Amino acid sequence: MSAPPSAATAPVTIRLQREDFDVAREIAALTAGRSDIGAVVSFVGLCRKGEGAEAITAMTLEHYPGMAEAEIRRHVDEALVRWPLTAVTVIHRHGRLVPGDNIVLVLTASAHRQAAFHGAEFLMDYLKANAPFWKSEERAEGARWVEAHARDDEALTRWRS
Amino acid sequence: MKVLYFAWVRERIGKAEEIVEPPPSVRTVGELMRWLRSRGEEYERAFERPVVRAAIDQVHVKPEAVIAGAREIAFFPPMTGG
């Protein structure tokens, strides 16, 4: 799929990696040398420990290499068409993570805050429902694959109007 | 054609990928799933729940999608990233 015309001027960084990321460093990289950015919204998803019997000791994120990058790119391109974003960064980790670890980072930049807020929220809603990643959680009684939530699909409906 | 499996679909079948040669009567993704189920208990278990999703050449598709010309077909549970 080719990028829409509006995407041509907005730098897009997409990385899938085992390593952690540094939010401040990624924001600095996004805004370096730019004087047209008035707002940067950051979303960081973290690994939660859960509660009581549901507590997890770790989770492993499996992904579909190639398709994961392509799906993220497709959604970033759509966000660039829908809002006047001037830069986007998406980093998604894979492999084994423990509670407190970062999982995903979305940065959206724009001249004004509203586009940045909307773009970040749109990207997270779409990535959760469509990007090929799967979580397996480790608990005292063993490992279990996380079931998809209907609410993640429902979250998409508000963007369809 | 190359078939890939992910998450619990991969675990139940016991392999991440394989080359398969379905008969010509298998024309769609849904028919391929039914044909795979006939290959053994592990496939039956992997596809017993109707939630398994598919991608052809790394693009999400519905069961009616035609598989002719596909290089890579993947089967996986609903996504849980983010």
Side-chain angles (χ1 to χ4, degrees):
Chain A
M1 184 183 292
S2 63
S6 63
T9 53
V12 173
T13 299
I14 295 167
R15 297 208 308 271
L16 273 57
Q17 60 189 40
R18 284 185 179 274
E19 304 74 40
D20 195 12
F21 49 79
D22 180 322
V23 181
R25 190 185 303 163
E26 298 301 334
I27 293 174
L30 189 87
T31 56
R34 301 283 297 265
S35 55
D36 59 329
I37 292 173
V40 176
V41 164
S42 66
F43 171 84
V44 182
L46 299 96
C47 178
R48 252 179 315 145
K49 71 169 165 46
E51 286 150 22
E54 291 295 297
I56 70 162
T57 51
M59 70 162 58
T60 299
L61 271 144
E62 178 171 333
H63 75 298
Y64 183 172
M67 182 174 174
E69 290 91 332
E71 273 300 298
I72 294 172
R73 179 72 217 202
R74 193 164 69 80
H75 294 312
V76 169
D77 286 345
E78 187 173 344
L80 292 170
V81 170
R82 295 174 73 135
W83 295 282
L85 301 173
T86 50
V88 177
T89 295
V90 178
I91 300 174
H92 205 306
R93 296 181 69 190
H94 56 87
R96 191 170 183 272
L97 304 173
V98 297
D101 279 353
N102 293 325
I103 302 174
V104 61
L105 171 69
V106 170
L107 298 179
T108 49
S110 187
H112 303 288
R113 70 181 184 282
Q114 196 177 34
F117 275 127
H118 286 164
E121 209 170 3
F122 168 87
L123 281 171
M124 276 313 303
D125 283 348
Y126 269 79
L127 294 185
K128 280 196 86 80
N130 293 329
F133 290 86
W134 302 274
K135 285 174 182 155
S136 173
E137 294 178 338
E138 294 171 34
R139 291 188 169 79
E141 69 270 27
R144 191 171 74 195
W145 290 98
V146 176
E147 289 285 320
H149 289 294
R151 66 167 183 261
D152 289 337
D153 284 329
E154 286 159 12
L156 302 185
T157 58
R158 66 180 157 149
W159 302 108
R160 292 198 182 119
S161 55
Chain B
M1 70 185 51
K2 188 177 180 183
V3 183
L4 307 182
Y5 310 111
F6 291 96
W8 52 254
V9 176
R10 170 180 55 74
E11 284 184 346
R12 289 179 180 194
I13 290 173
K15 57 185 114 175
E17 62 177 82
E18 62 182 324
I19 304 293
V20 300
E21 287 180 25
S25 60
V26 173
R27 292 172 300 109
T28 66
V29 165
E31 288 167 2
L32 178 61
M33 288 165 86
R34 279 195 289 280
W35 178 76
L36 286 167
R37 285 182 74 155
S38 72
R39 299 181 82 211
E41 198 178 319
E42 67 275 31
Y43 292 91
E44 180 66 34
R45 284 220 321 121
F47 290 100
E48 70 189 359
R49 292 175 60 196
V51 298
V52 175
R53 299 188 182 186
I56 292 183
D57 294 335
Q58 307 193 345
V59 175
H60 293 288
V61 292
K62 293 197 156 72
E64 310 84 74
V66 173
I67 61 173
R71 293 184 304 277
E72 181 177 293
I73 300 181
F75 293 104
F76 42 75
M79 289 66 72
T80 55

